[in-house]
Amino acid sequence: MKLTSGLLGAAALAASTGTAALAERGSDGHLNILYWQAVSIMNPFLSGGTKDVHAASMVIEPLARYDDGGQLIPWLVTEIPTVENGGISADLMSITWKITPGLKWSDESDFTADDVAFTAGYCMNPDGGCQQLTKFSDVDSVEALDPLTVKVNFSKPKPFPYGPFVGMESPVIQKAQFENCVGANAPNCTAENFAPHGTGPFRVADFKANDVVSFEANPHYRDAAKPGFATVTFKGGGDAAAAARAVLETGEFDYAWNLQIDPVILAQMEAAGRGKVAAAFSNSVERLMVNLTNPSPDLADARSTLEGGPHPFLTDPAVRRALSVAIDRGTLAEVGYGFAGQPTCNVVTAPDYNMSTANDECLVQDVAKANQILDEAGWSRGADGVRSKDGVRLSILFQTSTNAVRQDTQALIKAWWEEIGVETELKNVDAAVFFGGDQSSPDTYQKFYADIEMYTNLFPGTDAETYMTNWTCGEIPNPSNNWLGFNMPRYCNPNYDALVTKLASTSGTETRGEIVKQLNDMLMQEGAMIPLINRGTTIGHANSLEGIRLNAWDSHLWNIADWTRAK
Amino acid sequence: MFNYTLRRLIFTVPVLLFISFIIFLLLDLAPNDPTGNLPMTIPPEVREKIRVSLGLGEPIHIRYLLWCKQFFINEPLNILEQVTGWTIGDGERLRVRSWSTRSPVVDLIVERLPQTLWVVGLSYVVGILIAVPIGVLSAYRQYSWFDQIGTFISMIGFSVPTFFTGVLMIVVFSVGLGWFPSIYDTTHEVTNWESFIYQLRQMAMPVFVLALYTAAQISRFMRASMLDNLNQDYVRTARAKGLTEKTVVLVHVLRNSLIPVVTVIALGVPQVFGGAIITEQVFKVNGLGQLLITGIQGADIPLVQTLTFIFAVLIVLFNLVADILYGLLDPRVRYE
Amino acid sequence: MSETSLNTPPHSKWLDIWQQFRSHKGAMLGMAVFVLITLMVILGPILWDLDPSKIDIRAKNQGPSWAHPMGTDQLGRDTFAAVLQGGRVSLLVGVVAMLLSLFLGALIGVLAGFFKRLDGPLMRLTDLFLALPLLPLLLVIIMLWRDTLRAAFGAETGIFLLIVFIIGITSWMQTARIVRGDVLALKEREFVLAARSVGTSNRMMILRHILPNVMSPIMVSATLGIANAIITESALSFLGLGFPSDFPTWGRLLFDGTNYMTLTPWRVLWPGLAISLTVLSVNYIGDGLRDALDPRLRR
């Protein structure tokens, strides 16, 4: 084992000296990055906001991460531990990482297994309010076996042990720097949180919170020829349209993140010829959540809970199927997302081994069929064109967060549902309130005081286990658990729960994928939700910027060390 | 007048304490949440832990008193220490910390002051300097071409919102002509003539947009007030006494017309500090307005509470200044 | 002097004012434009019977044509229909909210300026309202009262009342401060002292002598207020606090159209023009009204 890693290290060194002849660190000058949400803090454990995590990923790095194909690759370690190579114990209770020798922090001290173990203790401290705690779920202890070996012990068998220290949300921080910042002291370490020492290609030169971060190349970065850029300005503020304009039209900036604006405008800006737009896909699915419980205001406290009883009409499979078939997902994708949106009928859309093909009926809009389904189920049109049965009218309150694309989607769906005799009232709520989960607000997505709601969810990385747990009975938000929980449709099926339990004890990517597919199909066929669009993440970059490999599975800036300026 | 000022100043303390409590209550009641903008991948239990670690588990009166202690005792002591270099106590005081950046709110505010003063403050001064002469001249030559054009421009100035004029300016002057940058660089330092020119270029558009809005408002009040006074008997008397037209208009009428204008200007000064939320967003100036709005959106209560409270202090103080100025402008105004 | 009005019967005073108003060319023109706009938004949707929320995705982002005189938006909805329909809400919200805010502002300003005892409390209340952060305040108001109002008055009327109330309650402070400042100076003027010496009651004093003399700042506030109300309404619906997203208003059309400025400029041109024209006409009406109400100008 030792010999292998030594050889690998030597090989890596040889490779790096090889490129040194071609390029030189910092030879490409200055890079301007624009995120329309400004960076608040450089410590992802204290802020899980995507912009903070991305900015921090330029400085601090995980042991392993996902590449742009969704493949797990070693980053600060010599190889990905598996059961086959002995890195994962046979009982699935522990995983052992071998750190690449010779790694240095940006203050020139050595990167050791102690730092890794410290990071785990830092995040798992109960007083720290660590925002990436999920990454460390079921972790019993993390021990440094020797300076280059670290072992993670779990409290129960973990078929998928790549949670801690994998991906942008779980980087390693330096023990020497953060030693006094543990637990309740974590927020008080302003200087440390704003400029952490890292192993990454850049280090923080100046930090203005919620405004702009200035980076400079890390002089102790492991590859002497990288990064290509000497300095980086990471500006925040404005909105998506303004960010697109600054990259594509005025050329003031080289890279802009998350350009979710009307594709027609984006195309017009791209036509100015200064930059390009790119998209990458993972598991972000814009979906309609169907409320299977009754949201009637008359129920007072029992509103939208299992106790309040089933929904008057959305529990009818015919209605849910008709609602889904009446939607033209192709048009939704074209109007709201352009090439960054693909119609989908599944809630799990990637990687390939997770993807089901059993639900593709909904890919093609068929209003006639939807009407026929409703006719056959006994929902007949009244004088005002709205269908009803036994005094129950098909009248839907449809809520989502405030966002131009979502409001367009709402308007389109309303029009299609009108064609099949379903009346729709639209409601949009400020995102900070909708997703805020405030106990006193009636407008949160968890309380779901509406019939249908729309938003996007995804899971980080490639393993769907935690994600699929979202729709188990125990996850239903209700007053007794303070409306905490992710099971918005209030879907409760013992067979589903049993299958999720089985997933938790099954290993092997393909086998797990099969179970995920089954779970996905159950959710789709029993109508807990109506998927609409698989959303890509869109970025814009200057024509002169090269080396970008847009990654939807990890930080967009994961390979920023390789970025260069075309000469 | 001195007694009045003193009495008002003393009375200010309980008023401000009351205002600070109302603001705190309001922010607490508001249904947005500090974990609202986190990615979906962070589960509800972790969100609950984050809330507790921010101190949201405590009852509201404890949190309010904690803020009071941090803001009224710890922060002033801290400033005193920095200014004098003394060490008071053990120096380990809890400061008012923002929830999103985990850094002291006062430091954030100090960091934002330069761009706020450069852009919002300057535009306010420019706005006033334009508005007063336009208002005077429009009133003096009522219904002349000058007056009609001035009316038209100022109507456009405040009926077309800045979210529109700002983007329009960027499309024309940044994208089309390439004269000005569309993104304000807060790290830019003025060291020589060239960098000064750059500073002027990056300020040009936001200052113009804001100054237009300010000038439109103030010039209307100036004009209306001048018109009121130009018809007064004392003007006729003054003219009859043989004073030059210039003296009559610019000394007597202007002085008497300033009361409403002073009110409006005094109301606007705290707004400078409050920043220009929309304009700052459009031009990415990232001053105090942007700080406030990100704080509100992220339910960053300590940040919003502190900013709003400083804002309240300025409002109370400048309204007092306005009241004192009334007495100076018109000796008949008395407050006994 | 201003005493002349004391002896004349009230109906002829209003006639006087009307005649004075009619002789003001700008005011009459403003009135004509305002009436025209009002008629258009009331009758327009009946004559131009295209539904503003009707989606025609094949006709999206079109330029002006006979079928769509102001073009279409990104979903192919007719802009002309939206401007007509949206004007109803915008005008109504603008005028009603402006009147509410003026009433509150003038009332509080006059009371504070005229009665010494009320000055302190009322002005500190003004300070409080000036200091409250708007956005959290809106969120709280909506959370507390939206559903109650919806239940009591129905969805649209409920939201309308709420919006008017919110805008009125958050925008009266400037008027109040200005009016108070003027009243403080006015009440020491000779004619007020003279009126007081003949035993005029406080109520008469305020209605006859104080109010007419603070009309000009109130009229300016009216012009500013109507613009402010129309724009604020759009900000509210953007926050999800106002009308549903498929319910057009001028402010909302302008906001939604801003990003499409280079693609379909007419989408922002028309709503922007509608708001500006309304504000301009209200301004001239205000000018005329002020002149007509000024006792010194009326002969």
Side-chain angles (χ1 to χ4, degrees), chain B residues 55-290:
Chain B
L56 273 171
E58 304 284 337
I60 179 164
H61 58 276
I62 302 280
R63 280 183 283 135
Y64 175 65
L65 290 177
L66 183 70
W67 177 82
C68 283
K69 185 186 164 217
Q70 289 172 345
F71 185 80
F72 293 113
I73 303 172
N74 294 357
E75 290 295 345
L77 280 178
N78 218 51
I79 292 170
L80 196 69
E81 271 187 8
Q82 276 179 359
V83 172
T84 59
W86 302 335
T87 314
I88 306 164
D90 57 359
E92 279 289 306
R93 275 182 298 275
L94 277 182
R95 303 185 62 187
V96 186
R97 273 176 194 277
S98 146
W99 285 347
S100 66
T101 71
R102 312 296 179 114
S103 64
V105 170
V106 176
D107 296 359
L108 288 176
I109 295 175
V110 171
E111 200 172 83
R112 297 301 174 104
L113 273 178
Q115 55 264 36
T116 305
L117 291 180
W118 269 109
V119 174
V120 191
L122 189 72
S123 68
Y124 197 61
V125 174
V126 170
I128 294 173
L129 290 181
I130 298 174
V132 172
I134 289 184
V136 171
L137 205 60
S138 314
Y140 191 66
R141 301 235 177 277
Q142 194 186 7
Y143 304 133
S144 65
W145 275 111
F146 181 83
D147 182 30
Q148 304 288 18
I149 291 171
T151 304
F152 187 76
I153 291 177
S154 59
M155 289 304 133
I156 302 287
F158 61 71
S159 61
V160 182
T162 45
F163 67 71
F164 176 77
T165 37
V167 176
L168 182 66
M169 303 253 331
I170 289 182
V171 166
V172 174
F173 293 107
S174 293
V175 178
L177 299 169
W179 289 357
F180 306 118
S182 73
I183 293 175
Y184 189 95
D185 180 5
T186 45
T187 56
H188 181 72
E189 278 170 26
V190 177
T191 48
N192 53 15
W193 179 248
E194 235 167 81
S195 59
F196 179 69
I197 293 294
Y198 182 81
Q199 176 67 15
L200 287 186
R201 279 180 53 217
Q202 69 169 349
M203 278 164 45
M205 290 196 293
V207 167
F208 177 81
V209 167
L210 284 172
L212 177 71
Y213 189 76
T214 318
Q217 270 199 52
I218 295 178
S219 68
R220 297 314 292 170
F221 282 109
M222 188 73 241
R223 174 180 177 274
S225 187
M226 282 292 285
L227 281 178
D228 270 359
N229 277 287
L230 278 170
N231 295 318
Q232 297 281 355
D233 305 320
Y234 72 84
V235 180
R236 240 169 286 159
T237 323
R239 284 189 182 132
K241 278 200 321 203
L243 293 178
T244 62
E245 191 65 12
K246 212 172 160 186
T247 322
V248 172
V249 175
L250 291 186
V251 177
H252 296 276
V253 180
L254 182 61
R255 180 179 167 157
N256 279 302
S257 311
L258 276 178
I259 285 192
V261 179
V262 162
T263 316
V264 178
I265 293 177
L267 281 174
V269 175
Q271 310 275 3
V272 171
F273 181 83
I277 292 177
I278 292 167
T279 314
E280 285 184 16
Q281 288 262 45
V282 170
F283 296 101
K284 277 73 72 182
V285 177
N286 295 351
L288 289 166
Q290 188 260 2

Side-chain angles (χ1 to χ4, degrees), chain A residues 34 38 40-41 46 48-50 127 129-131 133-134 187-188 190 194 207-212 214 235-238 242 245-246 249-250 252-253 432-433 435-438 440-441 445 455-460 484-486, chain B residues 29-33 35-51 53 94 97 100-104 108 111-112 115 167 170-171 174-175 181-187 281 284-286 290-291 294 297:
Chain A
L34 182 61
S40 308
I41 193 167
L46 293 181
T50 310
D127 301 323
C130 176
Q131 307 206 348
L133 208 53
T134 4
N188 297 339
T190 310
F194 280 181
F207 186 88
K208 287 185 195 297
N210 280 340
D211 181 12
V212 59
S214 307
K235 173 87 177 174
R245 205 173 284 126
E249 287 196 307
T250 68
E252 288 166 89
F253 276 70
V433 175
F435 298 117
D438 188 279
S440 58
S441 170
Y445 74 130
Y455 60 88
T456 290
N457 199 351
L458 76 162
F459 56 93
L484 300 174
F486 265 140
Chain B
L29 260 179
N32 47 355
D33 189 273
T35 63
N37 290 329
L38 293 180
M40 287 284 196
T41 48
I42 294 178
E45 309 86 62
V46 177
R47 284 169 198 255
E48 196 54 31
K49 281 189 183 142
I50 296 169
R51 286 191 201 107
S53 80
L94 277 182
R97 273 176 194 277
S100 66
T101 71
R102 312 296 179 114
S103 64
L108 288 176
E111 200 172 83
R112 297 301 174 104
Q115 55 264 36
V167 176
I170 289 182
V171 166
S174 293
V175 178
S182 73
I183 293 175
Y184 189 95
D185 180 5
T186 45
T187 56
Q281 288 262 45
K284 277 73 72 182
V285 177
N286 295 351
Q290 188 260 2
L291 188 67
T294 42
Q297 282 167 346

Side-chain angles (χ1 to χ4, degrees), chain C residues 215-235:
Chain C
M215 270 332 265
S216 47
I218 293 184
M219 286 304 154
V220 177
S221 298
T223 328
L224 297 174
I226 202 164
N228 175 53
I230 292 175
I231 303 300
T232 311
E233 183 280 320
S234 69

